[in-house]
């Protein structure tokens, strides 16, 4: 077991999910540039793959994968429904909402229909859509992060307009805040977001290398950014999550890590990726492909491949398991130990 410990806590690497491709024979799931994920009941995950971001023959790589935390692949859907998807979230009535930066809108999908590769519905799979391009209140420009609050209203990071906006789940505008700049409450190309159990809103301020915390109404509360001295300085943070203890996790895209902070902004530690064992999908490929077996046996050290490569989406489930989108085409899962006791070091025999 690989463990990262600090400040009376520990994070044990659990396992990796997926591989950098499509599903295979409906048995194993894969992802192509996974950018975000959403956690649903019964340990189900919805993983948003951006793919190549162009409507070509390879556009099927852009889709939503439905899987369990135990890597039971349930299927894919929403193929050929996106141009440049960015964020994903689920509503209380079990619908999936996805932002599309290129189309400047939010697309809505059911969760009970999947399509075995390479099938898709040529008439379209979305059951709803709202949003239009612009800078007026309620309009969107390159929307990215998306999250529902306890009242099932939805907050969206309106990245192109450097602001956050709140809507009903049907797209009715409620409020917004922000603006371009580097002062508290201003943004520079913000990306992901989350909402904690008390309703506070956290926004990954990508261009300003920080995460900002706000009240539900948009009042600035705190900034997470660290310094070079404490090792917590950020480089283009992509997304953010908060666990049940209030600890804050940031996918530090530029520094290839997940930075962890105390609720007050103090630095705790960082995760760098520990996927030195293959996922179930990876093992399946090894078993069925003799040429892959030969290539795999030639690899002497898997540690570099186990590290995060431009981590993006991050979520925390009801057990405080941390799930990270890794652009190597997989997810990495860590279990949090809240009462970790470091093992005693044995004295060397003289």
């Amino acid at each position: 077991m690989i463990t990262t410990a600090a400040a009376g806590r520990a994070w044990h690497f659990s396992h990796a999910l997926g591989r950098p491709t499509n599903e295979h024979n409906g048995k194993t799931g894969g992802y192509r540039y996974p950018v975000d994920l959403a956690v649903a009941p019964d340990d189900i995950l919805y993983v948003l793959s951006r793919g190549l971001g162009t409507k070509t023959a390879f556009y099927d790589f852009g889709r939503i994968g439905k899987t369990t935390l135990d890597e039971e692949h349930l299927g894919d859907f929403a193929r050929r429904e996106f141009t440049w998807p960015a964020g994903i979230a689920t509503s209380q009535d079990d619908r999936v909402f996805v932002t599309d930066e290129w189309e400047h809108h939010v697309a809505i999908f059911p969760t009970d229909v999947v399509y075995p590769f390479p099938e898709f519905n040529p008439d379209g799979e979305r059951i709803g859509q709202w949003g239009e391009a612009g800078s007026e209140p309620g309009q969107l420009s390159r929307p990215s992060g998306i999250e529902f609050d306890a009242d099932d209203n939805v907050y969206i990071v309106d990245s192109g307009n450097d602001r956050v906006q709140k809507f009903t789940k049907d797209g009715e505008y409620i409020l917004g805040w922000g603006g371009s700049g580097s002062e508290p409450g201003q943004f520079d190309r913000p990306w992901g977001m989350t909402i904690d159990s008390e309703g506070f809103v956290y926004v990954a301020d990508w261009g300003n290398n920080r995460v900002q915390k706000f009240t539900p109404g948009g009042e600035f509360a705190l900034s997470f950014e660290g310094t070079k001295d404490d090792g917590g300085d950020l480089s283009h943070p992509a997304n953010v999550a908060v666990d049940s203890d209030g600890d804050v996790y940031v996918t530090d895209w530029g520094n290839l890590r997940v930075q962890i902070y105390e609720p007050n902004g103090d630095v705790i530690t960082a995760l760098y990726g520990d996927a030195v064992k293959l996922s179930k999908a990876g093992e399946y490929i090894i078993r069925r492909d003799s040429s892959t077996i030969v290539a795999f046996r030639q690899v002497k050290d898997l540690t570099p491949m186990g590290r995060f490569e431009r981590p993006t989406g991050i979520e925390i489930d009801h057990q405080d398991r941390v799930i990270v989108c890794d652009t190597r085409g997989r997810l990495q899962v860590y279990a949090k130990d809240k009462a970790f006791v470091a093992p005693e070091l044995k004295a060397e025999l003289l």
Side-chain angles (χ1 to χ4, degrees):
M1 179 168 54
I2 301 173
T3 297
T4 301
R9 311 157 172 85
W11 292 267
H12 306 297
F13 176 77
S14 176
H15 61 289
L17 291 79
R19 57 192 176 90
T21 185
N22 285 307
E23 65 181 2
H24 182 80
N25 291 336
K27 297 180 180 179
T28 60
Y31 316 114
R32 180 68 69 175
Y33 192 39
V35 290
D36 201 12
L37 74 153
V39 176
D42 300 321
D43 287 346
I44 290 176
L45 306 177
Y46 295 101
V47 183
L48 179 63
S49 286
R50 176 173 286 177
L52 301 177
T54 55
K55 294 183 178 180
T56 69
F58 298 100
Y59 187 59
D60 289 347
F61 287 135
R63 65 199 187 282
I64 299 171
K66 184 178 181 180
T67 188
T68 69
L69 258 171
D70 191 42
E71 204 177 0
E72 177 189 355
H73 179 60
L74 304 177
D76 292 344
F77 61 98
R79 291 191 182 90
R80 303 193 182 186
E81 292 287 341
F82 311 117
T83 302
W84 199 246
I88 185 170
T90 56
S91 61
Q92 293 177 13
D93 58 358
D94 200 30
R95 294 186 294 167
V96 173
F97 288 62
V98 177
T99 56
D100 193 316
E101 290 187 71
W102 186 265
E103 306 294 344
H104 311 294
H105 67 214
V106 177
I108 308 168
F109 300 90
T111 59
D112 56 353
V113 180
V114 296
Y115 294 84
F117 179 79
E119 294 179 11
F120 67 99
N121 186 342
D123 297 324
E125 299 173 29
R126 64 187 63 186
I127 56 175
Q129 173 184 311
W130 49 261
E132 62 176 3
S135 58
E136 296 298 317
Q139 295 180 324
L140 300 170
S141 175
R142 302 201 309 274
S144 52
I146 180 171
E147 193 79 14
F148 282 89
D149 66 11
D151 297 321
D152 221 19
N153 293 313
V154 60
Y155 288 76
I156 293 177
V157 177
D158 189 11
S159 185
N161 288 317
D162 288 323
R163 64 186 179 187
V164 174
Q165 296 196 83
K166 179 181 178 180
F167 300 85
T168 68
K169 63 184 177 183
D170 297 320
E172 181 180 348
Y173 174 78
I174 299 176
L175 60 85
W177 73 85
S180 300
S182 58
E183 296 298 318
Q186 296 179 328
F187 301 106
D188 182 2
R189 294 161 291 165
W191 189 339
M193 68 170 302
T194 195
I195 300 173
D196 70 15
S197 60
E198 297 180 349
F200 285 96
V201 179
Y202 300 72
V203 182
D205 192 1
W206 194 85
N208 284 321
N209 300 315
R210 65 187 179 187
V211 168
Q212 296 192 75
K213 177 182 178 181
F214 300 90
T215 68
E219 295 180 9
F220 174 80
L222 187 64
S223 180
F224 298 82
E225 48 194 302
T227 66
K228 290 184 179 180
D229 291 336
D230 61 23
D233 54 320
L234 299 171
S235 175
H236 301 313
N239 219 317
V240 58
V242 181
D243 69 18
S244 63
D245 298 316
D247 291 342
V248 178
Y249 302 72
V250 181
T251 44
D252 193 3
W253 186 90
N255 285 321
L256 311 182
R257 65 185 180 183
V258 173
Q259 187 64 52
I260 309 175
Y261 297 90
E262 298 268 12
N264 65 0
D266 290 343
V267 174
I268 300 176
T269 189
L271 306 174
Y272 289 88
D274 295 289
V276 295
K277 293 184 179 180
L278 293 175
S279 65
K280 290 181 180 179
E283 291 175 349
Y284 174 78
I285 292 299
I286 290 292
R287 290 195 301 269
R288 66 179 290 272
D289 188 338
S290 59
S291 63
T292 303
I293 293 174
V294 172
F296 182 73
R297 286 176 175 171
Q298 293 174 347
V299 178
K300 302 300 182 182
D301 183 9
L302 286 176
T303 302
M305 290 300 296
R307 300 304 191 190
F308 292 129
E309 178 65 27
R310 303 300 187 193
T312 52
I314 185 169
E315 283 288 344
I316 297 175
D317 74 354
H318 65 287
Q319 296 184 29
D320 277 342
R321 289 175 291 193
V322 183
I323 310 156
V324 184
C325 280
D326 187 339
T327 49
R328 292 189 190 274
R330 66 191 171 197
L331 308 181
Q332 295 199 44
V333 183
Y334 288 81
K336 184 180 182 182
D337 186 345
K338 304 179 183 180
F340 178 73
V341 178
E344 294 183 4
L345 298 177
K346 294 182 179 179
E348 294 183 358
L349 296 177
L350 299 177

